[in-house]
Amino acid sequence: MSQCTDPKSKKATPTTMHMLSAHVAGVLQYLSASPLLLLAVLPLISLLLVSVVLAAIKLAMSRRIRARPQDGNPAAPYRSVDSPELKTMMFEECDTIDKLWSRAVGLYATKKCLGTRELLSEEDEVQPNGKVFKKVILGEYKWQTYTDVDRRIVSLGQGLAALGQKPRNNVLMLAETRADWMVTAQTCFKFNYPLVTIYATLGEEAIAHGINESEATHVFTNAELLPKIKNVAGKIPKVQYIIYMDALNNKPAATEGFPAGIQILSMAQVEEMGTRAENANRPIQPPVPDDLAVIMYTSGSTGLPKGVMIAHRNLIGGMAGQCDRIPGLGPKDTYIGYLPLAHVLELSAEISCLAFGTPIGYSSPLTLSDQSSKIKRGSKGDASVLRPTLMAAVPVIMDRIYKTVMDKVNEGGKWKKAMFNVAYGYKLKLVENGSDTPLLNRSLFKPVRSILGGKIRMMLSGGAPLSATTQRFMNVCFCCPVLQGYGLTETCGAGTVTEVDDLTTGRVGAPLICNEIKLVDWDEGGYTTEDKPYPRGEIVLGGPNITMGYYKNPQQTAEDFREEGGNRWFYTGDIGEFHPDGCLKIIDRKKDLVKLQAGEYVSLGKVEAALKNNSLVDNICVYASSDQHYAIALVVPNHKHLKNLSAKMELKTDQWEELCNDPDLEKEVLKVLHKVAKEAKLERFEIPQKLRLCSESWTPDTGLVTDAFKLKRKNLQSHYSQDIARLYGS
Ligand SMILES: *[C@@H]1O[C@H](CO)[C@@H](O)[C@H](O)[C@H]1NC(C)=O
Ligand SMILES: *[C@@H]1O[C@H](CO)[C@@H](O)[C@H](O)[C@H]1NC(C)=O
Ligand SMILES: *[C@@H]1O[C@H](CO)[C@@H](O)[C@H](O)[C@H]1NC(C)=O
Ligand SMILES: *[C@@H]1O[C@H](CO)[C@@H](O)[C@H](O)[C@H]1NC(C)=O
Ligand SMILES: *[C@@H]1O[C@H](CO)[C@@H](O)[C@H](O)[C@H]1NC(C)=O
Ligand SMILES: CC(=O)N[C@H]1CO[C@H](CO)[C@@H](O)[C@@H]1O
């Protein structure tokens, strides 16, 4: 990883400035021969000068120091220069989430709060291959105001209390992202019911484990997921009530067939119960900052999910840090919520939006844009109707948007493609130099921008590393900053986020004002804080946002959370390097390092990142066994590009399965990847020597990737064990 230096950051501003002012001076000299002409052109020239100066200022700002180690020692914790003292709250006095919410209700009472689109119609579309896809036509967003939502929160909380729910007893949430999810969460915060979240896409074993371990008696879910819970009903003896949110397609919920001890109620029934005179006036016991707000089960890359215990104080601290990097957040913004709320990134983003009066319109990955798979052709996707200004995304969604745009451009014909490429290249240079391109933004890039509604002013990526190429592409095409953050559930999603004025890509930014970050030597991997040109090591976070540990798992908690120097630290297992301006770059992961037979280390993640760059590759898992002398790869090929390659090779078949099993095609893909690997300057031993084309795609419900689409290496390994044995020739 020695070529991680960013050559662009070395370029001096004065050179560019100099060149341009010399240019302007030359023109001036020429014009002075004709004073009239000069008079006419003067405004133009001053405009040019102003833009040059502005660009230079922007560039200088981009290169300013953003964080420092406390005493100049690279092994000491780095803190943001904006906040030598760690910041722990957004608003004075709001030290719990329910106070944050009450403040917002007071300020924004009649403003839009949560929005959901109505379903106009649903139909089945039969594909040529016989598969049936559900397509929907959706209407306008229907909004609940802050006051509406607040009323529901009180009713729901009192209804739960009437059903025997007690403060400090867990309430479980297994549901997909939607307005009712947030209403329930805010209810739990207000009534001090710790909210246990589990990803809706987890397998039944993991779900049963989470529900049972949490000992929750009241479980929230959406009607569509009731069958999934029914299948595990025998393994969750403590559950007494299952409260479901109505199906979005208004179909009746399947409430039959549950064991006698479990009562099934709709959310509306519970809210109605809370408004009855005998229930409505019970005293509410609000939480204190150290009370548990959330127990968030994370789908770890290995084993059963672990519950991370997050106190009110932790979430408040993390959000104070994150919101500081979103300048201007307020009632003028609109946020599109579609990522899983059981993910800390989405949960803290949405709670923050509500705290600042920003309305949230709900969506889903399948209905996001006009081109999304569940949207009926010719009707509008959620982004086109909502026209959000802020959006969070995980890299896999950004990669999908990137590929959609590129495919569209490629299909548009030679002329269009050439024009796009020229404009893109031109704008790229200007953007990297800090110059603005208002005309290009409003002409050529307008149609691209309109894919997401046309008003996006900032995108935030988190959850997994975003490639520098994709980050820059989104930045140029959508004409807005694309921030990249780094954080974990264990740190409340806090850690780092790049700043709006940072023009570089591929880094995750400086520590947030709510936490500090230090690097710790990892000898086995050969990373130390003495490394040149940059200090490197395991990333370790400290601050008020460090959570209380893993639920009912003191052993793992003691391993990952440590008290050092009077502070609490979380050991992430990720490897990073600090650049001179105090920005962090993620370069490796401890678990991803495999030692080959001959003693060389292969960083699986690094090799994957390099090879994924090719359009033939939709997903890839590199595997290396310590008793072998080479690495191999499992590749999910891109349909369009693999078919294109097979057509060129004049293969007889067109069947996907047969294509993936074709040994000649396998060799051809390997050849392409070797070329990519050489261009990316991978070492010989890092390049996979054999590969398997995998015909199925890896989605969270296959259990092969996590909800954030991180590879689950163990599961992939056992799923493809026969292929791995074949590739290793045994
Ligand atoms: C449920 O949890 C209890 C302990 O809390 C444990 O003894 C039991 O085996 C668990 N049951 C299942 C089905 O996981
Ligand atoms: C942008 O910077 C590059 C080198 O950093 C330089 O070659 C180019 O002329 C600059 N372009 C503008 C428009 O300033
Ligand atoms: C044009 O797009 C760039 C990013 O691609 C952005 O920095 C700039 O602010 C945009 N300018 C206007 C006027 O929208
Ligand atoms: C991906 O490809 C682009 C050019 O297509 C190149 O600039 C970039 O460095 C590549 N990224 C990696 C990680 O190899
Ligand atoms: C298909 O292959 C041809 C020939 O190599 C290439 O020019 C074309 O761009 C490819 N099409 C796609 C969609 O990649
Ligand atoms: C759980 C935890 O580590 N809480 C700490 C958060 O930070 C404050 C001070 O900033 C500490 O007092 C808490 O112990």
Side-chain angles (χ1 to χ4, degrees):
M1 302 298 300
S2 56
Q3 61 270 29
C4 282
T5 47
D6 184 358
K8 270 164 225 123
S9 64
K10 296 260 161 59
K11 294 222 167 84
T13 327
T15 344
T16 321
M17 272 291 283
H18 214 170
M19 261 173 38
L20 269 158
S21 39
H23 217 75
V24 174
V27 177
L28 273 175
Q29 203 174 26
Y30 170 75
L31 285 172
S32 58
S34 147
L36 244 175
L37 197 58
L38 175 63
L39 219 69
V41 181
L42 211 53
L44 264 181
I45 290 178
S46 43
L47 208 68
L48 183 65
L49 268 175
V50 166
S51 72
V52 167
V53 171
L54 278 181
I57 292 174
K58 238 168 143 179
L59 208 54
M61 282 297 285
S62 165
R63 289 170 188 165
R64 77 194 160 88
I65 303 271
R66 297 167 193 277
R68 293 199 178 88
Q70 273 147 329
D71 51 5
N73 168 5
Y78 281 64
R79 282 190 187 184
S80 164
V81 294
D82 300 334
S83 167
E85 287 302 316
L86 298 185
K87 201 174 162 197
T88 58
M89 276 192 256
M90 288 186 248
F91 306 112
E92 198 104 12
E93 309 293 320
C94 292
D95 56 3
T96 57
I97 304 167
D98 67 308
K99 288 185 191 163
L100 214 53
W101 168 254
S102 299
R103 176 185 176 277
V105 175
L107 284 174
Y108 312 113
T110 57
K111 297 257 162 61
K112 288 178 185 173
C113 182
L114 305 177
T116 306
R117 290 180 80 184
E118 314 173 87
L119 180 78
L120 296 183
S121 73
E122 186 176 45
E123 48 194 75
D124 291 336
E125 199 177 277
V126 183
Q127 304 298 305
N129 62 8
K131 272 192 184 160
V132 177
F133 285 156
K134 285 241 176 296
K135 301 274 173 178
V136 293
I137 300 180
L138 300 167
E140 291 299 315
Y141 271 89
K142 288 268 182 275
W143 292 93
Q144 305 171 58
T145 65
Y146 278 80
T147 311
D148 295 340
V149 174
D150 194 46
R151 257 189 228 125
R152 289 188 61 197
I153 288 172
V154 175
S155 308
L156 183 62
Q158 297 291 24
L160 283 172
L163 291 174
Q165 178 65 38
K166 300 249 173 347
R168 300 215 168 90
N169 282 2
N170 297 338
V171 165
L172 192 125
M173 173 69 81
L174 178 81
E176 270 138 25
T177 297
R178 50 193 284 178
D180 286 345
W181 204 115
M182 184 44 80
V183 172
T184 308
Q186 294 283 2
T187 303
C188 290
F189 300 146
K190 189 178 190 93
F191 285 76
N192 200 12
Y193 309 143
L195 180 72
V196 183
T197 66
I198 300 186
Y199 288 135
T201 50
L202 283 187
E204 284 174 5
E205 192 194 355
I207 288 176
H209 167 77
I211 300 180
N212 182 44
E213 188 177 77
S214 74
E215 298 185 48
T217 47
H218 295 63
V219 171
F220 278 82
T221 191
N222 47 302
E224 294 88 339
L225 286 171
L226 279 172
K228 211 166 173 173
I229 299 188
K230 187 155 53 181
N231 289 343
V232 303
K235 297 182 191 160
I236 47 176
K238 298 259 168 156
V239 174
Q240 296 168 8
Y241 296 98
I242 295 177
I243 300 148
Y244 66 88
M245 309 161 189
D246 289 324
L248 290 176
N249 60 9
N250 310 324
K251 286 207 178 113
T255 57
E256 305 295 314
F258 281 84
I262 300 182
Q263 203 182 333
I264 317 288
L265 297 167
S266 74
M267 200 162 150
Q269 281 175 307
V270 181
E271 285 175 48
E272 188 275 325
M273 219 175 277
T275 56
R276 291 187 204 158
E278 70 269 28
N279 298 327
N281 296 314
R282 289 165 200 257
I284 299 173
Q285 293 175 33
V288 296
D290 279 321
D291 273 323
L292 267 185
V294 181
I295 299 176
M296 187 168 272
Y297 276 87
T298 64
S299 56
S301 321
T302 53
L304 283 172
K306 291 176 290 194
V308 178
M309 297 187 288
I310 304 176
H312 280 262
R313 153 196 318 289
N314 301 145
L315 259 178
I316 295 278
M319 290 189 297
Q322 288 150 5
C323 291
D324 170 68
R325 297 277 151 97
I326 319 277
L329 179 63
K332 284 206 182 114
D333 281 314
T334 306
Y335 180 83
I336 185 158
Y338 67 97
L339 293 175
L341 267 166
H343 194 295
V344 72
L345 168 78
E346 183 68 14
L347 182 62
S348 46
E350 291 195 13
I351 298 174
S352 303
C353 284
L354 296 182
F356 281 90
T358 304
I360 300 173
Y362 284 94
S363 172
S364 77
L366 298 181
T367 56
L368 196 58
S369 72
D370 299 358
Q371 289 79 25
S372 291
S373 59
K374 241 182 117 175
I375 293 290
K376 188 171 164 59
R377 287 289 151 265
S379 76
K380 284 196 164 170
D382 299 333
S384 312
V385 176
L386 184 66
R387 311 196 70 203
T389 60
L390 299 172
M391 170 171 172
V394 289
V396 70
I397 299 262
M398 293 232 183
D399 284 335
R400 222 176 269 165
I401 298 174
Y402 173 106
K403 280 182 180 163
T404 313
V405 174
M406 279 327 282
D407 282 346
K408 266 200 136 169
V409 166
N410 286 335
E411 281 160 13
K414 258 189 202 152
W415 195 76
K416 238 182 168 170
K417 187 171 153 184
M419 201 159 87
F420 180 84
N421 285 340
V422 169
Y424 182 84
Y426 175 70
K427 181 168 170 186
L428 183 66
K429 273 215 187 89
L430 289 172
V431 166
E432 282 175 349
N433 285 7
S435 304
D436 203 351
T437 54
L439 286 181
L440 266 184
N441 288 14
R442 252 169 255 158
S443 53
L444 260 170
F445 290 100
K446 201 170 165 191
V448 180
R449 242 170 96 72
S450 72
I451 292 178
L452 295 175
K455 284 171 81 174
I456 294 276
R457 73 171 178 96
M458 205 180 287
M459 282 192 232
L460 174 65
S461 169
L466 176 67
S467 82
T469 321
T470 307
Q471 188 182 8
R472 183 60 87 200
F473 182 85
M474 299 297 280
N475 169 224
V476 167
C477 286
F478 289 94
C479 306
C480 71
V482 177
L483 311 186
Q484 187 173 184
Y486 170 75
L488 303 97
T489 311
E490 288 85 342
T491 65
C492 266
T496 69
V497 174
T498 50
E499 282 161 79
V500 174
D501 62 356
D502 187 347
L503 299 175
T504 64
T505 52
R507 312 187 301 168
V508 296
L512 296 176
I513 56 173
C514 64
N515 57 204
E516 50 189 348
I517 298 181
K518 63 181 176 182
L519 298 177
V520 172
D521 291 354
W522 184 40
D523 297 328
E524 195 190 334
Y527 295 113
T528 76
T529 51
E530 308 285 307
D531 287 348
K532 295 284 174 270
Y534 306 126
R536 306 189 294 181
E538 178 174 3
I539 300 168
V540 177
L541 285 107
N545 47 314
I546 304 305
T547 54
M548 295 154 70
Y550 298 114
Y551 188 61
K552 294 189 181 171
N553 193 344
Q555 192 189 345
Q556 189 73 42
T557 303
E559 220 165 277
D560 296 343
F561 295 84
R562 299 183 209 166
E563 307 285 339
E564 284 165 6
N567 270 332
R568 194 173 162 78
W569 300 91
F570 177 69
Y571 279 70
T572 64
D574 291 319
I575 306 295
E577 65 186 19
F578 265 118
H579 290 181
D581 60 355
C583 287
L584 189 66
K585 178 169 176 159
I586 313 296
I587 54 175
D588 207 342
R589 174 145 184 91
K590 261 180 160 180
K591 281 193 205 126
D592 289 353
L593 212 62
V594 178
K595 195 178 187 178
L596 288 179
Q597 203 179 29
E600 305 110 329
Y601 280 101
V602 180
S603 166
L604 305 176
K606 174 187 150 192
V607 177
E608 281 155 5
L611 298 182
K612 218 179 188 170
N613 211 356
N614 191 272
S615 52
L616 257 173
V617 178
D618 262 359
N619 210 341
I620 182 169
C621 171
V622 173
Y623 176 81
S625 171
S626 297
D627 54 10
Q628 298 283 347
H629 61 273
Y630 59 90
I632 58 176
L634 303 166
V635 175
V636 180
N638 178 281
H639 269 247
K640 208 183 264 173
H641 290 105
L642 190 74
K643 289 222 164 137
N644 196 8
L645 188 64
S646 69
K648 240 191 308 177
M649 292 169 62
E650 290 166 358
L651 292 184
K652 282 187 204 79
T653 177
D654 195 32
Q655 285 300 306
W656 186 242
E657 198 68 40
E658 286 174 37
L659 280 180
C660 288
N661 286 326
D662 189 292
D664 291 327
L665 192 55
E666 203 172 271
K667 276 192 202 121
E668 203 58 33
V669 173
L670 193 61
K671 250 195 228 160
V672 174
L673 292 193
H674 276 193
K675 224 175 104 202
V676 176
K678 288 218 180 81
E679 278 164 15
K681 299 204 175 61
L682 293 186
E683 300 286 346
R684 185 195 43 76
F685 62 84
E686 287 177 319
I687 304 176
Q689 294 304 307
K690 298 201 175 151
L691 65 79
R692 162 78 175 146
L693 297 174
C694 306
S695 57
E696 61 190 317
S697 54
W698 301 341
T699 52
D701 42 305
T702 61
L704 299 176
V705 292
T706 71
D707 248 45
F709 287 85
K710 281 187 203 158
L711 301 177
K712 287 187 171 175
R713 296 190 187 278
K714 252 201 176 139
N715 294 8
L716 282 160
Q717 186 189 337
S718 57
H719 188 83
Y720 292 104
S721 58
Q722 286 181 357
D723 294 302
I724 291 173
R726 172 177 68 87
L727 296 179
Y728 274 137
S730 56

